[in-house]
Amino acid sequence: VQLQASGGGLVQAGGSLRLSCAASARSSSSYVMGWFRQAPGKEREFVATIRWRGGSTAYADSVKGRFTISVDNAKNTVYLQMNSLKPEDTAVYYCALASRYLILSVLSRSSEYDYWGQGTQVTVSS
């Protein structure tokens, strides 16, 4: 499975960006797609996740109410709509895929994801 992330860029605080992640594999009902981010000098952290079929979602507290994750099954693509961006959202954003069912308690663990995209830079200026 190959994941291709895109949509990053430079935006002012308060602005919006939409990230996309296209998966090469045919989607499975058990797949879980996630977005993680890593800022310079910091560990990779969970942002959001969605079950490929059914669409149930989970978010990090830091992005709740500002970010929305969604999936287009026909295009095998997951999106991350980011609104009201803050300078602290600046990071490289990675999409990831877990090719099996994950229970709620482990959805935020990067170690549970099998495939990773190349990352896309998001920079929010103050």
Side-chain angles (χ1 to χ4, degrees), residues 9 20 62:
S20 301
S62 59

Side-chain angles (χ1 to χ4, degrees), residues 27-102:
S27 62
S28 164
S29 60
S30 61
Y31 283 6
V32 176
M33 291 292 292
W35 285 98
F36 293 78
R37 66 187 182 186
Q38 187 167 18
K42 295 187 177 181
E43 293 186 354
R44 189 171 297 186
E45 65 174 2
F46 167 73
V47 176
T49 187
I50 188 168
R51 298 194 190 281
W52 202 284
R53 302 288 180 180
S56 59
T57 59
Y59 296 91
D61 288 342
S62 59
V63 306
K64 279 181 182 176
R66 301 188 298 122
F67 291 11
T68 303
I69 189 171
S70 61
V71 61
D72 184 332
N73 291 313
K75 296 182 178 180
N76 280 358
T77 299
V78 173
Y79 303 97
L80 184 69
Q81 178 66 44
M82 304 186 296
N83 298 328
S84 302
L85 283 162
K86 304 175 181 180
E88 51 262 44
D89 294 318
T90 295
V92 177
Y93 284 70
Y94 298 90
C95 59
L97 182 150
S99 55
R100 63 195 180 284
Y101 183 84
L102 298 181

